[in-house]
Amino acid sequence: EMGFEIKRGTGRGKRYFEIQGVPEELCAEWSSRHQEIAGHSGDHVAEFRAKNGRDPSIAELRQLSVRDRISKGRPYADPATYWRDIGAAHDVTAATIEALVHPGARPAVADRMAQLTAELLGEDGLTREHAALDRRSLTIEALQQATGLVGVDDTARRLTGMIDTGELVRLNDDAWTTHDMLGLERDVLAWREQRRMPLPSPLRPNGGQIWTAIRGQQQARDISLSGEQSDALRAMLRNGFTAVTGEAGVGKGVVLAAAADVWRSQGRRVFAVAVAGATAQRLAADMGADVVATTLDGLVMRLQHGRLKLRPDDVIAIDEAGMVDTRRWAKIAAAVGDTAQVVAVGDSAQLSPLSAGGLWPMLSADGPRLSGIRRTTLSWEREAWQHLRRGETPAALAAYAGHGHLSVSATRRDAVGAAVQQWDVDGRGGLIITDASNAERHQANVEAQHRRIAAHELGEIALTVKTEHGSVGLRAGDRVIFRRQWRLDGRARRVENGTTGQVVGVDVERQVITVHTNEPQPRDLEVPAAEADPVVDLHYAAHVIKGQGATVDRTYVVTGGWQTDRENLYVACSRSRLGTYVFVDRESLGRTTDVDALAAMAQRGARSRAKVAASALLSPAVGHQSARRGRKRQRRVLTSREPLVETYRRR
């Protein structure tokens, strides 16, 4: 209204706006209080540890920061003069601010309302993260989108208008979606129904081909396919679209490898596809030779631009299909059409897509299911995983407590330390998993690296890499992960985000490290260490999102914060062959005793944040049934804490 040009969509979550024309350096300096606190926190922790023999809690660390706070504008008589002098140092004065004002240049209200409507209905609008919203969430999303564009009253009027025109659709008593989102879901479900028809006879393998593939996998891996694995295999080979539910650790790779053997014997092209490139590469490695690995976005782009033409005998195998969001499903359905055969494997009980999703439970509702767990060697842990999957967290935690695999600490930092300590005792070969923040992952990585240095397992020379959460010194022998896609010069294939490897060389003079990758076809790559956006980071600890799909000997799961939910806990605990250790803390759970902390942990671990498709809420009966299931699960959690508490006490 004052005539300033607004830069919208800034800050965390893109929910803020700034005045156009103010230098970025000045904004950073005026917002430097956070960096000041972060810079002093390490000193505060060391001081507190030396005095009290333990790390400070979050509340105690906050008190230390306040106590030592450097007063803003200390040399100045008043803060206003201090701020004006900082502005002048960046050539920003009252005169330059006046020059930014352009009265009357603001677009008309009607134009801004039209822009708001387009943004609310777009991919980054109301249904960016969820296909359906309640009225409160709908209003919040609309107001955040309108920031810097129109006011509160205009936003409310626009929402009402979108309801009147049918652009917003009411699903049940308190669930809403956009007309476009509902249309995308209907298109995908219709495509699935059309593709579920049996394949024509030339593409359907005979019994001899199937038996040869099964026998080949049994001989190569020295295992026998179970009845449900054989049934899933035959379903994959029979229809134009097959959706298989594959629970954690059930050996879906064996089934897909057997299917790939059949497809190869028929001379068919096979594409291994996933949202993440590293996942697609793992799938291609499981399926054997001559399988093309690509991301789902990459496949769609190649089809849309004519760089790839599908044939009727092509096969597209999609892994981690539960993490495919609705818009990606719509794009793959439109790009593939009725041409190639599609086989998808996923699990709605594991992590949901980051964007609007929830279609996988509907796509896989009556498909084959793989539930026989083969990953872990421990029978009691197989049962614990089943409990976690069903949201029966007290029973699962009681199993971990009964076998000495559950630890309760005073603070979150203590819990991370206990996880690193157990990882060290077990030989420093497993993976530490956190469901909290990447800052916590960084903390665990640094502590774990120090243990390896003390054990003389790493090289003497270190090259410093500055990550967003702090610096790390990479040494020969360090386990690392590629933080983003990395494109190499020439025609060499890119390195996918999430690819892991080991540092095998450090060149201080040239400022490069040599990484031996854990790809299906490993490479030794020279990676620059001095980039502004580092390519690699330590990989002794991982966030649970990066952990889905991984298999390791042992895992050390730090959980129990506000981010903990049923899906995160199930994924984090189901990665290991030889055992999972669970670490929680009273501070994160907001409790003062171990007993109460465990009860709170049981509640958080039973809480589901799985994405729900808008189509699933269209019937009021569906919504009521879902609510009843949630209430029953909550009652079970509240009334079944005694076995968990008693088991932990006895241990």
Side-chain angles (χ1 to χ4, degrees):
E1 297 293 345
M2 296 168 64
F4 288 103
E5 185 179 352
I6 295 300
K7 180 165 60 175
R8 300 173 57 234
T10 66
R12 180 175 296 182
K14 298 184 178 181
R15 296 186 300 223
Y16 303 91
F17 71 88
E18 297 172 7
I19 294 176
Q20 193 72 262
V22 178
E24 291 290 338
E25 300 80 12
L26 178 56
C27 290
E29 188 162 347
W30 271 342
S31 305
S32 61
R33 179 66 190 137
H34 171 74
Q35 285 84 356
E36 177 190 312
I37 292 174
H40 286 77
S41 63
D43 297 335
H44 293 150
V45 170
E47 176 190 341
F48 189 93
R49 189 186 295 124
K51 182 178 179 181
N52 299 282
R54 63 175 177 84
D55 289 330
S57 67
I58 293 174
E60 290 167 334
L61 184 58
R62 186 181 298 118
Q63 290 171 355
L64 289 170
S65 299
V66 171
R67 184 197 69 188
D68 293 340
R69 179 171 181 171
I70 300 172
S71 301
K72 296 178 180 178
R74 182 182 290 166
Y76 294 85
D78 66 288
T81 305
Y82 172 71
W83 295 119
R84 277 197 292 268
D85 285 356
I86 290 180
H90 290 269
D91 297 323
V92 176
T93 65
T96 58
I97 292 295
E98 288 295 332
L100 298 177
V101 178
H102 304 286
R106 195 180 192 196
V109 173
D111 293 337
R112 286 183 275 130
M113 293 284 268
Q115 181 181 348
L116 176 62
T117 302
E119 292 181 2
L120 290 176
L121 297 177
E123 289 194 11
D124 292 326
L126 294 171
T127 56
R128 179 181 70 254
E129 295 184 4
H130 297 277
L133 305 91
D134 58 29
R135 187 58 191 253
R136 178 176 180 273
S137 300
L138 186 72
T139 305
I140 290 172
E141 289 290 334
L143 289 170
Q144 289 178 347
Q145 195 79 33
T147 301
L149 191 63
V150 299
V152 173
D153 293 339
D154 285 337
T155 304
R157 280 194 291 272
R158 186 74 288 267
L159 280 178
T160 302
M162 291 167 67
I163 293 171
D164 293 340
T165 59
E167 293 165 307
L168 282 177
V169 180
R170 187 172 188 170
L171 301 171
N172 59 34
D173 289 345
D174 192 25
W176 299 79
T177 190
T178 64
H179 179 270
D180 292 345
M181 174 56 65
L182 203 56
L184 288 178
E185 291 184 355
R186 285 171 171 163
D187 289 346
V188 174
L189 294 172
W191 170 76
R192 173 248 199 185
E193 286 303 313
Q194 176 190 353
R195 300 304 317 280
R196 277 156 43 103
M197 301 297 291
L199 293 167
S201 56
L203 299 180
R204 281 204 307 272
N206 56 47
Q209 290 172 310
I210 296 174
W211 171 240
T212 300
I214 292 175
R215 187 172 55 188
Q217 288 300 315
Q218 290 174 343
Q219 291 174 347
R221 302 179 187 238
D222 193 25
I223 58 173
S224 297
L225 267 69
S226 66
E228 66 178 9
Q229 286 178 317
S230 298
D231 291 343
L233 172 62
R234 288 180 170 82
M236 289 178 180
L237 300 172
R238 185 173 57 237
N239 299 324
F241 178 90
T242 307
V244 180
T245 296
E247 299 182 12
V250 295
K252 70 179 187 302
V254 180
V255 182
L256 286 166
D261 285 345
V262 174
W263 293 324
R264 271 189 294 269
S265 73
Q266 296 176 305
R268 303 169 67 180
R269 288 191 303 182
V270 182
F271 297 88
V273 181
V275 173
T279 303
Q281 287 188 346
R282 282 198 300 265
L283 176 62
D286 281 343
M287 296 177 74
D290 302 322
V291 175
V292 180
T294 179
T295 63
L296 196 150
D297 292 340
L299 177 66
V300 169
M301 188 175 298
R302 290 167 65 190
L303 292 172
Q304 288 175 339
H305 290 82
R307 296 201 297 268
L308 172 67
K309 291 194 179 298
L310 291 176
R311 305 191 301 248
D313 63 344
D314 286 338
V315 181
I316 298 172
I318 304 175
D319 197 10
E320 303 291 359
M323 294 191 73
V324 179
D325 60 81
T326 300
R327 291 184 176 89
R328 280 194 172 100
W329 274 120
K331 289 175 182 176
I332 195 70
V336 173
D338 59 357
T339 309
Q341 181 181 357
V342 177
V343 172
V345 181
D347 186 7
S348 58
Q350 298 187 49
L351 299 182
S352 292
L354 298 178
S355 303
L359 274 180
W360 180 246
M362 304 181 74
L363 293 172
S364 61
D366 54 356
R369 187 186 197 92
L370 299 173
S371 58
I373 299 172
R374 297 189 170 213
R375 177 176 293 156
T376 180
T377 60
L378 306 174
S379 58
W380 67 264
E381 191 162 36
R382 291 192 197 101
E383 294 181 15
W385 291 1
Q386 293 289 356
H387 286 308
L388 289 173
R389 178 185 173 80
R390 295 191 292 265
E392 298 163 358
T393 319
L397 294 180
Y400 283 109
H403 291 83
H405 285 226
L406 175 63
S407 169
V408 182
S409 300
T411 68
R412 187 75 177 192
R413 181 177 285 271
D414 290 342
V416 173
V420 174
Q421 171 66 19
Q422 187 64 52
W423 171 85
D424 188 15
V425 168
D426 288 343
R428 300 171 295 282
L431 182 65
I432 302 162
I433 297 180
T434 172
D435 62 3
S437 65
N438 280 316
E440 184 168 277
R441 173 190 57 80
H442 172 78
Q443 173 197 342
N445 267 324
V446 171
E447 292 186 20
Q449 187 194 44
H450 289 164
R451 300 292 181 116
R452 292 202 70 197
I453 292 172
H456 306 290
E457 294 175 346
L458 302 179
E460 295 291 330
I461 302 172
L463 260 183
T464 300
V465 173
K466 294 182 178 178
T467 74
E468 59 183 323
H469 301 290
S471 298
V472 294
L474 298 179
R475 303 164 180 261
D478 269 325
R479 298 206 297 270
V480 293
I481 186 170
F482 284 79
R483 303 170 61 246
R484 55 182 171 87
Q485 279 186 354
W486 187 46
R487 298 182 181 275
L488 298 126
D489 297 332
R491 300 178 64 84
R493 75 176 187 275
R494 72 190 184 197
V495 182
E496 296 292 352
N497 180 12
T499 299
T500 60
Q502 183 176 19
V503 178
V504 294
V506 175
D507 190 329
V508 177
E509 234 177 80
R510 296 169 53 225
Q511 287 289 292
V512 297
I513 61 170
T514 303
V515 176
H516 181 75
T517 64
N518 297 328
E519 298 172 292
Q521 298 172 335
R523 295 177 281 177
D524 286 346
L525 302 175
E526 288 191 342
V527 182
E531 287 196 11
D533 182 14
V535 179
V536 296
D537 198 354
L538 293 172
H539 188 55
Y540 302 113
H543 192 275
V544 65
I545 292 176
K546 291 284 188 185
Q548 178 155 318
T551 300
V552 296
D553 282 346
R554 290 183 176 87
T555 52
Y556 308 86
V557 178
V558 184
T559 185
W562 65 267
Q563 301 95 331
T564 296
D565 58 37
R566 176 173 165 180
E567 292 76 26
N568 280 344
L569 190 60
Y570 176 49
V571 169
C573 290
S574 58
R575 303 298 100 202
S576 64
R577 300 184 189 94
L578 305 177
T580 300
Y581 291 82
V582 180
F583 301 86
V584 300
D585 66 284
R586 298 191 298 272
E587 179 186 46
S588 298
L589 293 162
R591 301 295 187 270
T592 57
T593 66
D594 288 359
V595 168
D596 290 338
L598 287 170
M601 177 62 205
Q603 288 185 346
R604 291 189 185 184
R607 175 183 57 190
S608 175
R609 288 200 183 103
K611 298 291 177 72
V612 179
S615 303
L617 300 174
L618 265 173
S619 166
V622 173
H624 295 326
Q625 184 180 9
S626 176
R628 280 200 304 274
R629 282 199 302 266
R631 287 194 295 270
K632 285 182 180 178
R633 186 164 56 245
Q634 184 73 356
R635 283 199 296 271
R636 280 202 306 269
V637 169
L638 290 173
T639 58
S640 58
R641 55 176 274 186
E642 287 306 317
L644 165 61
V645 170
E646 289 306 314
T647 302
Y648 184 75
R649 278 176 170 157
R650 285 198 304 271
R651 189 71 194 185

